[in-house]
Amino acid sequence: MSIATKTGTEITESMMVSTTVASLPAGRTFIFGTADYTVFILMLAASAGVGVYFGFFSKSKNTTDEFLMGGKRMKTIPIAISLVASQLSALSITAVPAESYAFGFNQIFIVASMILVAPLLCYIIIPVFYENNISNCYEYLEKRFNKRTRQLVTITFILNAFLILPVVIFIPALAFSQVTGLNIHMVNAIVCSICAFYTMLGGIKAVVWTDVLQGGVMLSSVILVGILGTMKTGGLSKVFEHASDGGRLDINFSLDPRMRITFWNALICGTMMWTGHVGLNQSCVQRIVSLPSLKHAQRALWLSSIGFIIVMALNCFIGIVMYAYYYNCDPIKAGLVNKPDKMVPFFVQDIMGHLMGMPGLFISCVFSAALSSMSAMLNSLAGVMYFDYIRPRIKKYHTDERANFIMKMIIIMMGCYCVAGGLIVERFDSILQLVITITGINTGSIVGVFLLGMLVPRTNGKVAVASIIFSISAMFWLITNGQIKAREGAIRYIPLPTSTDGCADHNLDVLAESISNVTQNIGLQMLPQHIEEPKVTTAFGSNREFSIFEISFYWYKVVGVLLVWLLAIPLSYIWRRDEEDKLDPHLFSPIIRSYLKGRTPVEMEELPLKTPFPKEAQGHNCGTTISVPEKICNDN
């Protein structure tokens, strides 16, 4: 593509976007009606009502254990639904279909990676938390390594939450603004306030039970959109025919790491991403360990994995349905939608706007996804900030009542911050790319250090700290330079081609004529001939020399994990563990623990001498004069 062509394209798009919905025939003007507002308000009122119930009418005690973990008496199915709902977020409901619409179906392999993640969580990671009675996953890092490792990772968790929370709640406000015309920041402020309200009042129980309510809304909405969209397009055969003709079903097996999304980076990135987001992130771990036993937790994880795959696969499919429906009349190129993240609400209005309450149900779905993610993150963030940074400074004054009050104030302040953060998020084009890029700075290092602790006995605290700092610093450098490359024009993720030739079939002939005139005029006035093609890396190819700074943002988390391990393994041979520092096998994954039992002494607290154990225990190396923890004897 020549420089002049690029300029002409940008001006064309600018002129098209200036065409508004008002230019359309009267029959195509979209209205968010009374029934839609009613459905939406009922959803918000129900969410707030759950918070009021658990805050004022529930018989729960006012303790930190009850506020953060529900007294470890939570039920399997609600927790499974809550995990699905909070991981979906509004990003999945709007940005994932937009990604499939613009760049094809390869996004499905990120969903498929959950098949690999579920056994990894159930049998390697979560058993370690249960067997060490850990309620805060970062507490594990202190037990396995040292306090400095824990503090370093909790700081990255807090910074991540500060960066992601405004994005999570802004996406549904964007969708609501698209279909109603209301001020996006006013909507953002109202919804943030409601979410902070019920999270502050009801704690983890309110979070989980609102997730159950919101999960039902999400599932029903996604299924309805998929079915109605398929019917409006002409059936499944027509959907796949158009999607195939437009290249949306092509699977990219390229090994070039600069390609935006391929089979390889989707599958590998998805494995690292879901491991970090579900199994090693406090907002999810807090709910997993609120179940009474490991068996309950494993059952909840398997159920949530199945639910997640179903809903996310439907979201990817909706993107393909959207493309098939607008096969010859792209609303973005036609100027009806100014960014891909607004495509889904536009599509819903187009196919469901005539059905009373259906647009309201879908917008409720988007807000439900955002609220579930935000509430879970707020609850866990308040717990981490209090127990890691506030309580150590007020030990003498700590009571459960005071702790709960402080955590509630943190939630309120974060709600205010999210409203202000929307002013910045509004300026970004691809929110999915923004989120994956931001989390790419530290997610890889967190996954890497947890797996290092659970799988590599040789490593110690100094090695862990050095590896985390190295990984985060290198990723910050890599991502910063990548953004500079993008600003310079070296990286341009141009979507797959679309057309506006068939806008007359969509009753958009007035707009189609306008587009044709604009394109023709620009073509005559602004496109000189014989200009050399610029060197650029696109979503599907590159004519530039390879540069590490141009790798796809989907690789960031994988690179972060590799950097931790590449430094930690050799360092563990240089900074050796003290021979006096004996290892507790229970700090390692079950697959490693069996290896340790016969070779590594067990760390024991200094306990007074006592009489020998009964004869039954003597065959298990427990018949000594030292008091050995019962758990260790039983395991041996």
Side-chain angles (χ1 to χ4, degrees):
M1 181 184 292
S2 69
I3 296 171
T5 303
K6 174 183 170 183
T7 305
T9 302
E10 288 173 348
I11 293 175
T12 304
E13 290 173 353
S14 173
M15 294 182 71
M16 285 190 237
V17 167
S18 66
T19 308
T20 65
V21 178
S23 306
L24 301 176
R28 296 298 299 269
T29 302
F30 300 143
I31 299 173
F32 201 70
T34 304
D36 302 308
Y37 280 109
T38 303
V39 171
F40 177 66
I41 291 169
L42 283 173
M43 186 277 296
L44 290 181
S47 299
V50 171
V52 170
Y53 171 76
F54 284 110
F56 294 110
F57 302 105
S58 175
K59 297 179 181 179
S60 303
K61 297 177 181 178
N62 187 24
T63 64
T64 54
D65 181 63
E66 193 71 34
F67 187 78
L68 295 174
M69 297 177 63
K72 296 203 77 165
R73 298 186 305 275
M74 302 300 290
K75 303 297 182 183
T76 301
I77 292 179
I79 289 292
I81 296 172
S82 178
L83 289 172
V84 174
S86 61
Q87 282 308 299
L88 285 175
S89 80
L91 187 70
S92 304
I93 305 297
T94 58
V96 168
E99 181 80 2
S100 294
Y101 179 89
F103 296 101
F105 205 52
N106 286 281
Q107 187 81 15
I108 193 67
F109 298 113
I110 292 183
V111 180
S113 67
M114 185 57 77
I115 298 170
L116 305 175
V117 173
L120 178 64
L121 297 181
C122 288
Y123 305 115
I124 293 179
I125 294 174
I126 298 303
V128 178
F129 294 150
Y130 265 89
E131 293 181 17
N132 289 279
N133 196 29
I134 285 172
S135 57
N136 180 333
C137 64
Y138 308 121
E139 180 186 348
Y140 167 79
L141 296 175
E142 184 174 354
K143 288 186 174 186
R144 171 64 180 89
F145 295 118
N146 53 34
K147 190 172 184 178
R148 188 172 298 173
T149 307
R150 174 180 179 174
Q151 289 176 335
L152 189 57
V153 173
T154 54
I155 287 171
T156 66
F157 168 74
I158 292 169
L159 289 176
N160 224 36
F162 269 81
L163 291 171
I164 295 300
L165 272 170
V167 180
V168 165
I169 201 64
F170 184 80
I171 297 171
L174 192 71
F176 195 80
S177 175
Q178 169 72 20
V179 298
T180 65
L182 294 177
N183 182 281
I184 194 168
H185 300 293
M186 179 187 73
V187 175
N188 198 28
I190 293 171
V191 177
C192 282
S193 301
I194 291 173
C195 184
F197 172 74
Y198 74 72
T199 306
M200 175 198 70
L201 282 180
I204 191 67
K205 288 185 177 179
V207 171
V208 169
W209 284 106
T210 50
D211 283 351
V212 171
L213 168 69
Q214 292 156 0
V217 173
M218 278 187 273
L219 182 61
S220 58
S221 300
V222 168
I223 291 173
L224 271 173
V225 173
I227 291 174
L228 284 173
T230 301
M231 291 170 59
K232 290 273 188 178
T233 306
L236 276 174
S237 59
K238 187 65 72 176
V239 168
F240 288 122
E241 179 188 339
H242 287 333
S244 180
D245 291 343
R248 265 60 182 181
L249 298 182
D250 295 347
I251 299 175
N252 190 342
F253 288 102
S254 172
L255 295 175
D256 188 340
R258 293 172 295 178
M259 301 304 94
R260 178 184 173 99
I261 184 164
T262 67
F263 171 84
W264 305 108
N265 68 11
L267 195 66
I268 301 171
C269 160
T271 302
M272 294 297 103
M273 181 168 69
W274 301 127
T275 299
H277 288 180
V278 180
L280 299 171
N281 183 293
Q282 180 57 16
S283 65
C284 285
V285 172
Q286 184 173 320
R287 277 168 287 175
I288 293 169
V289 299
S290 68
L291 289 161
S293 72
L294 176 60
K295 291 293 183 185
H296 288 85
Q298 289 171 331
R299 198 175 301 125
L301 282 167
W302 279 113
L303 288 172
S304 65
S305 299
I306 294 168
F308 176 85
I309 290 171
I310 291 171
V311 181
M312 280 293 288
L314 283 169
N315 282 328
C316 292
F317 177 69
I318 286 171
I320 300 302
V321 173
M322 283 196 305
Y323 174 76
Y325 183 74
Y326 295 117
Y327 178 58
N328 282 322
C329 187
D330 177 20
I332 299 174
K333 187 175 284 188
L336 297 175
V337 179
N338 62 6
K339 59 168 65 177
D341 292 318
K342 291 185 177 182
M343 270 296 300
V344 176
F346 177 87
F347 175 63
V348 169
Q349 283 282 47
D350 201 354
I351 66 169
M352 298 168 63
H354 63 288
L355 300 174
M356 184 177 294
M358 286 298 104
L361 179 65
F362 178 77
I363 293 299
S364 298
C365 162
V366 177
F367 271 100
S368 293
L371 289 170
S372 62
S373 300
M374 183 181 179
S375 60
M377 201 176 295
L378 285 175
N379 186 264
S380 58
L381 179 64
V384 168
M385 290 179 71
Y386 178 78
F387 282 100
D388 282 56
Y389 296 98
I390 299 174
R391 181 178 174 179
R393 291 165 175 77
I394 60 167
K395 279 184 179 179
K396 295 180 181 179
Y397 309 101
H398 169 77
T399 63
D400 280 349
E401 291 78 9
R402 184 173 282 116
N404 284 358
F405 175 77
I406 293 173
M407 287 189 285
K408 289 175 180 180
M409 290 302 102
I410 292 171
I411 289 169
I412 290 173
M413 287 188 288
M414 285 303 299
C416 297
Y417 162 75
C418 289
V419 176
L423 297 169
I424 299 173
V425 177
E426 186 180 22
R427 302 180 183 181
F428 290 90
D429 290 329
S430 174
I431 294 180
L432 179 65
Q433 182 174 337
L434 170 66
V435 169
I436 293 177
T437 301
I438 289 173
T439 56
I441 296 174
N442 73 316
T443 300
S445 65
I446 293 172
V447 173
V449 78
F450 270 103
L451 293 179
L452 198 69
M454 293 179 183
L455 300 176
V456 186
R458 176 178 289 275
T459 54
N460 56 53
K462 284 196 298 184
V463 170
V465 170
S467 300
I468 294 169
I469 293 173
F470 172 67
S471 177
I472 291 176
S473 302
M475 290 310 302
F476 184 77
W477 173 71
L478 174 65
I479 290 171
T480 300
N481 280 278
Q483 295 302 305
I484 292 171
K485 287 275 188 182
R487 282 186 172 275
E488 291 173 350
I491 305 171
R492 293 191 69 217
Y493 289 142
I494 303 168
L496 288 165
T498 56
S499 170
T500 54
D501 295 341
C503 284
D505 297 333
H506 284 266
N507 196 21
L508 299 176
D509 48 323
V510 174
L511 190 58
E513 184 180 347
S514 172
I515 294 167
S516 176
N517 291 337
V518 170
T519 306
Q520 187 176 18
N521 290 337
I522 290 177
L524 292 172
Q525 297 174 16
M526 301 201 59
L527 302 183
Q529 304 295 318
H530 310 299
I531 295 181
E532 184 182 353
E533 184 178 354
K535 302 289 186 182
V536 64
T537 293
T538 69
F540 309 101
S542 178
N543 56 8
R544 296 170 56 84
E545 292 184 7
F546 180 81
S547 168
I548 189 68
F549 304 123
E550 295 175 17
I551 65 170
S552 168
F553 57 91
Y554 282 104
W555 282 112
Y556 288 160
K557 293 176 176 62
V558 182
V559 174
V561 173
L562 290 175
L563 288 172
V564 168
W565 280 63
L566 287 174
L567 183 67
I569 300 301
L571 266 187
S572 64
Y573 287 89
I574 299 171
W575 290 341
R576 293 173 179 265
R577 189 171 43 81
D578 273 340
E579 293 183 5
E580 297 179 0
D581 293 341
K582 298 173 184 178
L583 299 176
D584 180 354
H586 294 91
L587 292 173
F588 297 92
S589 180
I591 61 172
I592 300 297
R593 196 178 305 149
S594 57
Y595 171 80
L596 286 175
K597 283 180 181 178
R599 292 171 169 75
T600 307
V602 177
E603 183 182 17
M604 298 180 296
E605 297 179 2
E606 292 186 7
L607 296 172
L609 297 178
K610 61 182 291 184
T611 56
F613 281 83
K615 290 182 180 179
E616 304 91 275
Q618 293 183 13
H620 299 277
N621 297 324
C622 292
T624 66
T625 55
I626 303 295
S627 174
V628 181
E630 182 183 353
K631 174 70 177 171
I632 296 173
C633 293
N634 290 338
D635 285 345
N636 285 332

